[in-house]
Amino acid sequence: MNKKRVLSCIQPTGEIHIGNYFGAVRNWVNLQDKYDCVYGVVDLHAMTMPYSPKELRQNTVQMFIDLIAAGLDPQKSVLFVQSLVPQHTELTWIFSCVTSYGELSRMTQFKDKSDQIEKGSKNSFVSAGLFSYPVLQAADILIYKADFVPVGKDQEQHLELSRNIAVRFNNQFGQYFPEPQPLYTEVPKLMSLADPEKKMSKSMGNKHFIGLFEAEDSIRKKVKSAVTDTGGQAGGQMSPGVANLFTIIKACGKLNEYEALLNDYNNGSLQYKDLKDVAGNSLVELTRPFRLKREELSKDTQLIRRLINESSEKARSFAEKTLNDVKELTGLLNG
Ligand code: AMP
């Protein structure tokens, strides 16, 4: 029986943090056995915000390595680099012609990101690329005829646009694209260590997040200095910093420790030092094999180059077939 296809992508914007791992990458790893998975390192998307060319290239290769180190298997899944599959950008143009200006203007991420750019450096500007980014995203999904896309709340609107594009294309040129459905999985949301009311993110600065490949002593140090009580929560509610440490322990699969510490918390005997020790140790233990695998892979540049080329080639041959069909349907010359 044919497996359903799942597609998901990640931008190569630097190091993966434990929030990305628990919230997205671990789920990708788990989906590999049940679905036919296609995962992408989407370097073209990273060009929509101000960036450095040298860093983009390095980050793209590093993200490819990091995803494998974290458990993605290029033998089980297709793991492509977006710019090595030029059919995505060709399909984007065709899709741009069935996407309305109005629906792109309503994308909340466009509004958020353009505000961010306008507040930044004087030399930066809001590019047409940022505006049409969701069309490229629709091409990423539809070119592989994906059945499911794992989504978080922030991506729901973009997936809906991809469905609208598929429907409009099918109405205009004949039934061709399946409508990709969201795949919801319960994933933990990690908060910043230094400001636990906010989501853990790299852009907040080094003390706010823990990298998935961070050195053991640095992990322990960051957990030790995590904010716990921010000063008396109303109604005896657990403070966000303490709750975040509990979330980390549970996400690491340390359920017995989690229950015992929660019990201590409930009867008022919990020492935050113990909570932090368990959280730090759990993270160190979970991430150790990832660090080792990353070190091993990073030494073998030839292997990485070969894996990138082979995997992107698999993606290209699939994408090429879709693009040829689309050209046929839309009246373009083919051949
Ligand atoms: P980003 O680089 O922020 O686009 O995130 C890449 C993926 O990681 C997305 O699927 C996010 O939903 C997920 N993610 C990012 N930050 C967190 C976090 N603090 N907790 C859980 N998931 C996260």
Side-chain angles (χ1 to χ4, degrees):
M1 203 182 76
N2 275 351
K3 286 181 181 166
K4 295 275 188 197
R5 176 161 297 144
V6 161
L7 180 126
S8 198
C9 296
I10 191 160
Q11 286 199 32
T13 44
E15 220 183 332
I16 302 177
H17 58 69
I18 55 170
N20 301 133
Y21 178 71
F22 291 126
V25 176
R26 183 166 65 176
N27 190 27
W28 291 12
V29 174
N30 293 337
L31 293 170
Q32 292 185 113
D33 291 321
K34 190 163 169 211
Y35 296 97
D36 170 14
C37 294
V38 182
Y39 296 125
V41 178
V42 286
D43 49 354
L44 297 172
H45 283 292
M47 296 172 80
T48 58
M49 294 297 276
Y51 77 99
S52 131
K54 191 167 161 232
E55 279 175 21
L56 176 60
R57 191 169 297 121
Q58 276 168 359
N59 287 343
T60 301
V61 175
Q62 193 62 58
M63 182 60 82
F64 191 89
I65 292 174
D66 289 353
L67 290 174
I68 298 175
L72 287 195
D73 179 352
Q75 304 306 323
K76 274 190 202 164
S77 308
V78 173
L79 179 57
F80 68 84
V81 171
Q82 191 185 29
S83 60
L84 293 177
V85 192
Q87 290 81 2
H88 287 231
T89 38
E90 245 183 294
L91 186 60
T92 300
W93 178 256
I94 298 170
F95 281 171
S96 294
C97 300
V98 293
T99 309
S100 77
Y101 175 82
E103 59 195 339
L104 285 181
S105 335
R106 286 192 292 275
M107 293 289 137
T108 51
Q109 270 199 19
F110 172 68
K111 290 180 202 155
D112 294 347
K113 289 193 171 175
S114 39
D115 282 352
Q116 216 175 308
I117 291 174
E118 272 159 0
K119 281 190 206 128
S121 134
K122 280 206 171 66
N123 297 328
S124 308
F125 57 91
V126 178
S127 69
L130 183 65
F131 184 68
S132 56
Y133 167 120
V135 186
L136 177 58
Q137 208 171 46
D140 297 335
I141 299 168
L142 296 173
I143 206 159
Y144 300 104
K145 300 192 181 158
D147 300 290
F148 294 111
V149 179
V151 284
K153 281 263 167 270
D154 53 342
Q155 287 296 328
E156 269 176 346
Q157 201 187 21
H158 286 178
L159 183 60
E160 197 182 319
L161 178 76
S162 299
R163 278 202 300 277
N164 289 346
I165 290 177
V167 169
R168 206 165 303 135
F169 182 97
N170 292 345
N171 286 341
Q172 207 167 326
F173 302 109
Q175 191 62 37
Y176 183 70
F177 286 110
E179 284 176 51
Q181 300 303 316
L183 187 69
Y184 295 107
T185 317
E186 194 67 45
V187 285
K189 178 175 170 190
L190 260 56
M191 309 309 281
S192 150
L193 298 173
D195 187 356
E197 311 249 5
K198 303 212 173 88
K199 194 172 126 170
M200 179 179 287
S201 105
K202 266 188 319 239
S203 57
M204 292 176 75
N206 193 37
K207 62 181 183 180
H208 292 269
F209 71 90
I210 293 178
L212 189 61
F213 302 94
E214 202 156 320
E216 300 193 0
D217 52 348
S218 174
I219 295 181
R220 289 209 172 86
K221 212 161 135 195
K222 280 192 184 170
V223 174
K224 262 201 190 96
S225 40
V227 168
T228 41
D229 277 349
T230 47
Q233 296 291 306
Q237 221 190 346
M238 194 183 275
S239 69
V242 173
N244 197 34
L245 293 171
F246 271 105
T247 304
I248 289 175
I249 295 168
K250 196 172 183 187
C252 288
K254 297 286 179 191
L255 299 185
N256 292 339
E257 288 87 337
Y258 174 87
E259 291 299 336
L261 291 162
L262 194 59
N263 203 29
D264 291 348
Y265 175 84
N266 287 332
N267 63 34
S269 66
L270 177 66
Q271 301 284 325
Y272 289 157
K273 183 188 172 301
D274 294 339
L275 181 69
K276 288 181 169 180
D277 281 348
V278 174
N281 288 338
S282 309
L283 280 173
V284 164
E285 192 186 312
L286 175 96
T287 56
R288 188 173 292 136
F290 304 157
R291 273 190 299 279
L292 294 175
K293 181 86 181 165
R294 186 202 220 204
E295 262 172 44
E296 181 196 318
L297 289 169
S298 300
K299 282 187 207 137
D300 198 343
T301 44
Q302 268 185 342
L303 170 74
I304 294 304
R305 191 148 292 278
R306 183 168 62 75
L307 288 176
I308 290 178
N309 288 340
E310 281 175 7
S311 208
S312 301
E313 173 55 38
K314 275 192 229 162
R316 267 198 303 276
S317 69
F318 196 100
E320 180 70 27
K321 181 172 178 327
T322 305
L323 192 66
N324 283 341
D325 291 346
V326 165
K327 284 183 171 173
E328 201 60 42
L329 288 165
T330 52
L332 296 171
L333 298 192
N334 209 352

